[in-house]
Amino acid sequence: MGKSQKQSRRELVEKMQRDQARSDKMRTRLIVAGCMVVGLAIIAYPAIKLIQDSRTRNQDISEIGVAASAASCDAPTNDAASGTQDHKPDGTVIPYAVSPPSSGPHYQDWAPLSKKFYGDDRPPVPNLVHNLEHGYTILWYNEATAKNKDQVALIEKISKAKLPDSSFGKFIAAPFRSGDGAAWPAGKNIAFSHWSGNTQGQTTAFGHRQFCGSVSGEALKQFIEKYPATDAQEPNGG
């Protein structure tokens, strides 16, 4: 005897309910699995970053970027230096003689030693010039480089890596914008600057700049070793 229409409808409804329950259960499993993957990623990222930074701290800066011979670097300059202890009020517009500056008047405060890499959060140039007075070497990168994520990543990696002992940790990498000073030589995207003092037998203080086409930790290391932190106007400051 065939099933009644009422029984057939009940069985169909029950089957639909079972199918829906299985579908809901599968969807729940997928959501839980997805949340677990996201959670693990959130937990793992800081750990991976910590490991990477730890490895970078033990890596010599000369191993980062291209070789000095491939960086298209000019010879360092000897700029006439000026502005020792010439402190100007914050906000004062200071026209520097060279670009990027390697000496000159500056603001009262300097950027802290604890921060070695700047992007959009960079302090005004006159604050960084004060750092130069205390023996810092600054790696400046232009706007073209700031748009190149790979080059910026190398610069940030250099700021975390092992600097020459002669730097005493006095290093900053910072962007140099078109409104900060005169245009750089064509094809040069990176510049190092340092302010030498009346030390090592010098009778005249100089500012020094070196322009390069590409990021080169080796070129930077050579510059720092040529102009160490102790060769400064006020090497014990900062």
Side-chain angles (χ1 to χ4, degrees):
M1 192 175 204
K3 294 180 181 178
S4 68
Q5 191 175 6
K6 186 176 181 181
Q7 184 181 1
S8 295
R9 282 201 301 269
R10 186 173 60 250
E11 289 176 350
L12 179 60
V13 169
E14 289 172 350
K15 182 179 181 302
M16 291 174 65
Q17 288 174 339
R18 287 195 300 272
D19 291 344
Q20 183 64 46
R22 280 196 296 268
S23 178
D24 291 345
K25 191 173 183 180
M26 180 60 69
R27 184 161 51 249
T28 300
R29 286 176 177 173
L30 288 172
I31 291 171
V32 171
C35 290
M36 288 177 66
V37 169
V38 172
L40 287 171
I42 292 172
I43 294 169
Y45 178 76
I48 293 170
K49 192 80 166 57
L50 238 118
I51 293 169
Q52 290 175 338
D53 287 351
S54 177
R55 289 173 178 170
T56 299
R57 280 194 293 273
N58 294 319
Q59 184 178 10
D60 194 284
I61 61 169
S62 62
E63 300 173 10
I64 302 171
V66 301
S69 59
S72 301
C73 296
D74 293 340
T77 64
N78 290 320
D79 308 319
S82 64
T84 304
Q85 294 184 337
D86 187 357
H87 298 157
K88 303 294 185 184
D90 288 358
T92 302
V93 177
I94 303 175
Y96 288 104
V98 298
S99 175
S102 56
S103 71
H106 44 271
Y107 295 163
Q108 178 71 37
D109 297 321
W110 56 79
L113 175 62
S114 58
K115 189 168 176 63
K116 291 183 167 60
F117 176 82
Y118 288 97
D120 294 337
D121 58 342
R122 188 209 73 185
V125 169
N127 290 116
L128 295 175
V129 173
H130 197 154
N131 287 72
L132 291 176
E133 185 180 42
H134 295 310
Y136 280 70
T137 290
I138 298 178
L139 181 157
W140 306 91
Y141 57 98
N142 66 5
E143 290 173 323
T145 302
K147 295 175 183 176
N148 188 319
K149 292 182 180 178
D150 292 337
Q151 291 286 285
V152 173
L154 286 174
I155 294 169
E156 186 170 7
K157 190 173 183 180
I158 284 173
S159 73
K160 297 176 181 178
K162 186 178 179 182
L163 295 161
D165 292 341
S166 58
S167 73
F168 286 91
K170 292 186 173 184
F171 170 78
I172 286 174
F176 195 81
R177 306 175 185 118
S178 57
D180 291 330
W184 295 357
K188 305 303 179 184
N189 302 305
I190 306 295
F192 312 139
S193 64
H194 182 83
W195 187 351
S196 289
N198 296 318
T199 58
Q200 298 180 347
Q202 291 178 214
T203 56
T204 305
F206 290 102
H208 305 285
R209 291 169 298 139
Q210 184 173 26
F211 292 97
C212 297
S214 304
V215 177
S216 171
E218 183 180 28
L220 174 63
K221 183 175 183 177
Q222 291 172 359
F223 185 87
I224 291 174
E225 289 177 339
K226 185 176 178 69
Y227 307 112
T230 52
D231 176 21
Q233 292 292 314
E234 298 177 9
N236 296 323

